[in-house]
Amino acid sequence: MKRIPKRYLSLFALIMLMATCACGKSTALEMLQIMGVYGIDLNEEGRLQAYSSSPIFSREANKKYNITKTTALSTRQSRLQLDSMSIGALTGRKLATVLVGKKLLTEKSIYPYMDVLFRDPSSEINASIAMVDGNVSEIMESEMDDKGRLEVVLFEEIETSYEDRICVLTRAYQLEDQLLNPRITPYVTEIKALPGEIKVTGTALLSDDGKYAGSLNNKESSLLLLLQRDIGRPIQLMLDLPSKGIVTINIKNANYNMHSAYGKERFQFRVAVHAEAELTEQATNWKENIPVPVLEQEIAKQLQQECDKLIGKIQRYRVDPIGFGYYAKAYQLSRWKEVEDNWGDAFAQADIEITTRVKLTSTGAVK
Amino acid sequence: MRRPLSPEDHKISFTQFVFTIYKTQIGIGILTLPRDLVETTGTDGWISLLIGYAIAVTVSILIIAAMSKYPNDTLYELLPRLFGAWIGGGLSLLWIGYAAGGSLVMLLWSIHLTQVWVLPAISSPTLMFLFVLPICLYTFHGLKLVGRFGEFVYLISFWMPLSLFWGLKDAHWLNFLPIGHNGWVNIILAVKTTLLSFLGFELAFILYPYLTEKKRAIQGVVFANTLALITYSIATVISFLQFSEETLKEYVWPSLVLLKLIRLPFVERFEIIFVALYLVILFATIVPYLYMAAMGANRLLRTKNHRYYTIAFLAGCVVLSVLFRPSFWQLQWMGRQYGKAGFLLAFLFPVFLWLWGIGYRFIRKERHP
C-alpha cells in the first residue's frame, strides 16, 4: 500500500477533530445550574412541590447558592419548571442529596418520583436519599450563614452521621434495589430542621410499596446497622448496666450466625451475634471495679434487650430493613413463595430470637 | 491500494489466533448479559453460562477437526470442495451474509451505545463516518493485521472486566441461593442466550488455514473460549451479587450500571471513560467479521482484492446511517435475528460439516480404494 502523504494525514486529522468538536454543546460552568440538592414534597393542596439548590459561581451574586421552588405534576415536569426559573441549564449530574418530605412519603409511594433518576443514564445514582421530618421547605429555607453551601452541608452531615453510625445511608441505586427486591424493605436517612441547624434524627423505614412506615432514633439506627452486618466502621453504643451504670462501648467487629426455620405456621430466625467491643466511657460508677466477665455478660444482656426492642418495633411497623427475607428465600423457598408479595406481614408474624455474646478487647488507656 | 497481498500478510501466530477469537466473542453481549440471563433463569444464569461454554468448546473443536483434513483450505474453499460448486457457493453466500450482517449489527449497536452513554447530541452519520475510518484501515491488510489488532486490543483492555470489581459495593451471596429455584427447564432455556455470547469462535474457519502452529489450534480455541467464559463470569457474578433479580430486570445495561457505582476522588462518571474505551473492543468484533465477509466475497467472485468489498460495505453503512436510525427495539430485533443465524451457522453447521466430511471421505475411499 502506498503511503499516504503527510500533508493529507494532517488534513484528515483536522476533519476528524472538527467532526468531534461539533458533537459536544460546550457549556460554561457559570451557565450551568448544577443541582446539588433536589427536594420533593406535597403542599397543603396535595400538589407536588419541587425544590432545587444549586451553587452560584457568579462573582456579583451575594449568596453562595440559590434555591428554586416549583409546583408540578411529575418529577420530570418539575425539572422543566425549575429549569425555566434558573439561570442556566439544569443538570442532575452532580446530585448529592435527594430530600423527600414526610407528607409525600405518608400519602404516596416514593418509586414513581425516583424514576427519572434511574432512567436518565447521565443522572447521578450515587445521590443519598433522605426523608425530612416536616416540610422540605424548612430545610431548604433554613439559615446556613455560619455553615456554607446547603448542598455541601447536607452531604457532609449525612455522610459523617453515617460514619458515626447514628443513621443509615441509602444511595439512589440502593433505594431502587430495596424497593424492587421483595426480600428487604427500604430505609432512608431521616433529617429534621431545627432553628439554624439541620439534625440527622435517625432512620425512616418504608414499607415495600415505598410508603412511610415508621422511624428509628439514632441509637436504634446504630443497632440496625449492627444487625445489618454493616460494621465497616465501629458502632458506638451507650448502655445502662446494673452494676456499672452508664457505659459506652465501641463494637469493632462482630461474627454472625444465622439460622432459619419454619414451624408453627411462621418463620423462625435465630441470630447469634458475637461482638468484639472496647469500653470507651464509664460515665457514672467509676470507683467500683467490676470484673471483666461480669461486665461482658451485663453488656451482652443489655445489648440483647435493645436488639429485641428494635425487632419488636420493626415487626410492629411490619417492615424488614434487616433483610431476613434473604434467608427466608434462600432456605425456605416453598414457604417464601407463599408470602413473597407480602413479606412485611409475614415478617411481623415471625419468631426472631437474638442471642448476643460480647468480648471486651480493651478498656482504653485507663484500667 | 496497489500492492496485492502476499501469503505472508496472512500468516498468524498462536497468540494472534487466540486473541482474535476471544476479542470477537466479547462484544456488546457482555453489557446486557446479566439481564438477559436473569430474565429467563434468575440468578442461576451462571449454570447456563457453564453449559454454554461446554457446547461452544465442543463445537469449536469440531470446527478444527473438520478443517484439519484440508489444512490449506479456508471455509470458502472447503465448501465447494465438499458440496460441489453450486451448493458450496450458496453456502458461502450464506456465510458472507452472516458475517456482514454481524458486523453491521455491531456497528449500529456501537453507535447506539455511544449516543446513549457518551455523546447524546451527536448525529449517527457523523459517528458512523468516524467509526468507519479505523475499521477500514484495519481490514485493508491481510489477516495478520487483524490478528495483531486482536492482540493489541487484549493488551489495552484486559483491565476492563477487572474494573467491575470496583463496582461491587455490598455483596449478597444469598442471592445465589437456593440453586435452581427457577427450575432446571429455565436453566436449559437460558443456555441459548449464553451460546450467543460465545459467537465468534466460528472465525476459526478462516483463521485456521493461516495459523502457523496448526497443532496447537485446538488448544487455541479452548483458550479463547475459556477467556471469554472468565470475562462473562466476572460480569454476571458481580451483577448478581450486587443487585437483586428484580432490579437487574429493570436495567438495560446492567454491567454499565455497576460501573456507575464507582466513585473515584479525581474523576466522576467513570462509565463514560469506560464506554469510550470499550469502542475499541467493539471494533475488535467488527473488524474480523467484516474481514470474513470481504474475504468470502473475494473468493466467491474470484476477484483479486478484498478491499473493494470492504469499501463498498462501509460506504453502504454510512449511507444507511443517514437513511435509517434504528430504535433500541429495532436493534434488539436485529440482534436476535443475527443470533438465530449464528445459532444455525456457527453451532449447528460445524457439526453437520464434520459429519459430512467423514461421510464424504468414507464414500471416496469406497470408490477409490
Side-chain angles (χ1 to χ4, degrees):
Chain A
M1 187 171 165
K2 209 176 117 205
R3 287 185 64 83
I4 305 169
K6 283 244 167 74
R7 56 168 188 271
Y8 287 133
L9 266 182
S10 51
L11 196 70
F12 234 64
L14 198 69
I15 292 170
M16 287 169 80
L17 282 176
M18 276 160 66
T20 40
C21 268
C23 62
K25 297 172 290 180
S26 69
T27 334
L29 190 59
E30 289 81 1
M31 289 311 294
L32 270 181
Q33 188 93 345
I34 301 166
M35 201 154 57
V37 181
Y38 180 68
I40 38 174
D41 203 349
L42 293 182
N43 63 8
E44 285 75 35
E45 299 137 34
R47 296 250 287 160
L48 186 72
Q49 197 108 49
Y51 303 82
S52 89
S53 159
S54 335
I56 300 172
F57 297 108
S58 164
R59 277 163 200 266
E60 286 89 51
N62 286 326
K63 284 193 80 173
K64 279 186 181 160
Y65 61 92
N66 123 300
I67 306 281
T68 327
K69 177 180 164 185
T70 176
T71 315
L73 284 173
S74 74
T75 327
R76 242 309 168 210
Q77 198 196 358
S78 77
R79 284 270 287 272
L80 285 178
Q81 291 184 4
L82 288 174
D83 206 355
S84 69
M85 275 187 268
S86 59
I87 315 157
L90 196 69
T91 157
R93 291 171 188 197
K94 305 279 176 214
L95 201 60
T97 317
V98 178
L99 299 178
V100 191
K102 191 172 180 177
K103 188 166 157 48
L104 176 89
L105 272 180
T106 323
E107 289 175 20
K108 290 186 171 153
S109 164
I110 190 178
Y111 192 75
Y113 299 102
M114 294 285 121
D115 184 73
V116 68
L117 211 60
F118 307 136
R119 202 169 289 278
D120 183 356
S122 71
S123 69
E124 175 63 287
I125 57 169
N126 284 306
S128 53
I129 316 276
M131 188 195 86
V132 182
D133 186 10
N135 266 325
V136 172
S137 59
E138 291 167 24
I139 299 272
M140 286 302 208
E141 284 151 16
S142 62
E143 283 296 314
M144 287 290 134
D145 290 346
D146 55 344
K147 294 195 180 63
R149 300 180 193 276
L150 177 70
E151 54 267 21
V152 180
V153 174
L154 267 175
F155 175 78
E156 292 285 326
E157 208 167 328
I158 293 175
E159 202 99 339
T160 49
S161 298
Y162 172 67
E163 283 172 6
D164 293 343
R165 319 327 298 271
I166 54 168
C167 70
V168 293
L169 176 70
T170 307
R171 304 195 183 282
Y173 71 90
Q174 287 170 324
L175 181 69
E176 187 186 23
D177 200 48
Q178 292 163 4
L179 280 164
L180 294 171
N181 186 345
R183 292 169 287 173
I184 191 166
T185 58
Y187 48 87
V188 294
T189 322
E190 187 176 316
I191 59 173
K192 191 174 168 60
L194 300 176
E197 298 279 348
I198 293 173
K199 187 177 168 6
V200 177
T201 54
T203 303
L205 303 172
L206 312 185
S207 63
D208 221 9
D209 53 1
K211 281 186 180 174
Y212 176 74
S215 295
L216 299 180
N217 63 23
N218 291 142
K219 190 177 179 185
E220 289 163 335
S221 305
S222 308
L223 286 167
L224 179 66
L225 289 175
L226 176 70
L227 291 177
Q228 282 176 341
R229 308 184 172 201
D230 188 348
I231 42 169
R233 278 165 173 277
I235 296 173
Q236 215 165 59
L237 280 174
M238 203 175 72
L239 301 170
D240 190 1
L241 305 181
S243 64
K244 198 84 176 152
I246 290 168
V247 296
T248 311
I249 55 163
N250 229 354
I251 299 181
K252 291 198 132 175
N253 196 6
N255 284 321
Y256 299 86
N257 201 343
M258 179 79 177
H259 185 262
S260 78
Y262 191 88
K264 294 188 220 152
E265 298 190 357
R266 58 186 64 182
F267 285 94
Q268 296 168 329
F269 299 103
R270 276 211 309 275
V271 194
V273 185
H274 294 181
E276 276 177 28
E278 61 182 26
L279 195 72
T280 51
E281 184 190 32
Q282 47 182 55
T284 45
N285 186 2
W286 50 274
K287 274 185 182 155
E288 202 178 338
N289 224 346
I290 310 282
V292 172
V294 178
L295 214 55
E296 281 177 346
Q297 269 183 6
E298 282 184 2
I299 291 173
K301 198 176 167 210
Q302 193 69 33
L303 191 63
Q304 185 185 339
Q305 281 170 6
E306 304 269 359
C307 286
D308 284 343
K309 250 191 270 172
L310 174 70
I311 297 283
K313 195 167 181 180
I314 61 174
Q315 281 189 318
R316 263 203 317 287
Y317 292 144
R318 308 183 101 71
V319 291
D320 173 21
I322 298 169
F324 282 102
Y326 277 100
Y327 294 89
K329 186 180 181 187
Y331 298 111
Q332 260 75 39
L333 184 68
S334 53
R335 299 294 179 182
W336 162 259
K337 284 214 167 126
E338 295 163 13
V339 297
E340 191 173 23
D341 302 325
N342 233 333
W343 173 237
D345 292 339
F347 173 71
Q349 305 288 320
D351 288 332
I352 294 161
E353 187 192 328
I354 294 183
T355 51
T356 52
R357 213 168 69 196
V358 176
K359 189 179 152 205
L360 280 182
T361 51
S362 86
T363 53
V366 281
K367 234 175 108 179
Chain B
M1 250 205 113
R2 312 253 156 69
R3 185 169 68 81
L5 296 170
S6 71
E8 269 308 303
D9 289 325
H10 292 299
K11 288 265 173 278
I12 54 169
S13 71
F14 176 68
T15 46
Q16 287 167 350
F17 179 73
V18 172
F19 291 133
T20 309
I21 292 182
Y22 163 56
K23 278 297 156 200
T24 312
Q25 288 179 315
I26 305 293
I28 206 89
I30 190 170
L31 304 179
T32 54
L33 182 68
R35 176 181 50 88
D36 293 338
L37 286 180
V38 155
E39 276 174 355
T40 14
T41 132
T43 46
D44 298 324
W46 59 275
I47 306 175
S48 318
L49 199 62
L50 287 179
I51 301 175
Y53 165 72
I55 297 177
V57 167
T58 317
V59 175
S60 329
I61 292 175
L62 284 185
I63 292 179
I64 303 294
M67 302 287 289
S68 61
K69 292 286 184 292
Y70 310 93
N72 292 319
D73 283 10
T74 65
L75 178 71
Y76 302 114
E77 279 116 21
L78 190 66
L79 290 175
R81 188 195 293 270
L82 289 182
F83 296 96
W86 282 102
I87 302 177
L91 285 172
S92 297
L93 205 60
L94 274 183
W95 273 95
I96 294 163
Y98 163 70
S103 46
L104 177 66
V105 171
M106 289 303 294
L107 252 177
L108 294 174
W109 266 116
S110 334
I111 285 170
H112 181 78
L113 187 73
T114 318
Q115 284 180 332
V116 170
W117 285 90
V118 193
L119 305 164
I122 197 167
S123 76
S124 23
T126 322
L127 264 188
M128 182 63 101
F129 180 68
L130 289 173
F131 284 1
V132 152
L133 291 176
I135 293 172
C136 189
L137 291 178
Y138 275 107
T139 40
F140 252 36
H141 282 268
L143 267 180
K144 188 174 225 159
L145 191 67
V146 175
R148 282 181 179 167
F149 184 53
E151 260 180 330
F152 165 73
V153 172
Y154 173 74
L155 283 176
I156 63 158
S157 70
F158 75 95
W159 59 274
M160 291 179 113
L162 300 179
S163 69
L164 289 175
F165 279 103
W166 270 348
L168 190 58
K169 300 286 175 178
D170 15 37
H172 296 287
W173 284 99
L174 286 176
N175 280 349
F176 285 102
L177 287 176
I179 292 166
H181 65 272
N182 283 310
W184 291 95
V185 180
N186 284 327
I187 292 181
I188 303 298
L189 284 178
V191 169
K192 210 179 159 193
T193 319
T194 62
L195 284 183
L196 302 185
S197 332
F198 284 103
L199 280 183
F201 59 81
E202 67 271 26
L203 277 182
F205 271 135
I206 59 161
L207 295 181
Y208 177 74
Y210 300 109
L211 181 64
T212 44
E213 303 161 79
K214 290 213 169 40
K215 278 190 186 126
R216 295 176 73 190
I218 288 184
Q219 196 189 346
V221 285
V222 175
F223 253 42
N225 279 310
T226 311
L227 281 172
L229 173 74
I230 292 171
T231 316
Y232 288 135
S233 309
I234 290 176
T236 44
V237 169
I238 291 183
S239 307
F240 291 174
L241 279 178
Q242 175 67 45
F243 301 113
S244 64
E245 279 175 33
E246 293 79 10
T247 318
L248 271 178
K249 279 178 195 162
E250 296 289 311
Y251 291 149
V252 180
W253 311 95
S255 310
L256 291 178
V257 177
L258 271 179
L259 292 167
K260 282 192 83 163
L261 310 188
I262 299 173
R263 300 173 91 195
L264 300 174
F266 51 92
V267 59
E268 280 193 347
R269 301 208 55 215
F270 177 71
E271 79 276 6
I272 294 187
I273 303 168
F274 188 92
V275 172
L277 292 175
Y278 198 78
L279 285 178
V280 182
I281 297 190
L282 293 176
F283 286 175
T285 306
I286 299 168
V287 166
Y289 270 131
L290 181 56
Y291 192 89
M292 191 178 187
M295 184 186 189
N298 189 28
R299 297 283 155 87
L300 192 67
L301 301 175
R302 295 201 176 76
T303 45
K304 286 270 166 9
N305 207 327
H306 74 278
R307 289 165 182 159
Y308 301 119
Y309 308 103
T310 323
I311 291 191
F313 176 80
L314 292 175
C317 283
V318 176
V319 175
L320 183 75
S321 68
V322 178
L323 302 175
F324 170 57
R325 256 161 241 161
S327 70
F328 174 75
W329 294 275
Q330 283 167 326
L331 279 172
Q332 235 177 6
W333 180 84
M334 287 162 83
R336 270 200 301 274
Q337 303 314 308
Y338 160 68
K340 277 178 196 162
F343 185 71
L344 285 176
L345 283 178
F347 280 98
L348 296 182
F349 181 74
V351 181
F352 170 67
L353 184 74
W354 178 64
L355 292 173
W356 181 274
I358 291 175
Y360 177 80
R361 283 188 296 276
F362 180 73
I363 292 168
R364 288 265 303 247
K365 245 181 237 163
E366 292 272 283
R367 274 194 207 150
H368 319 278

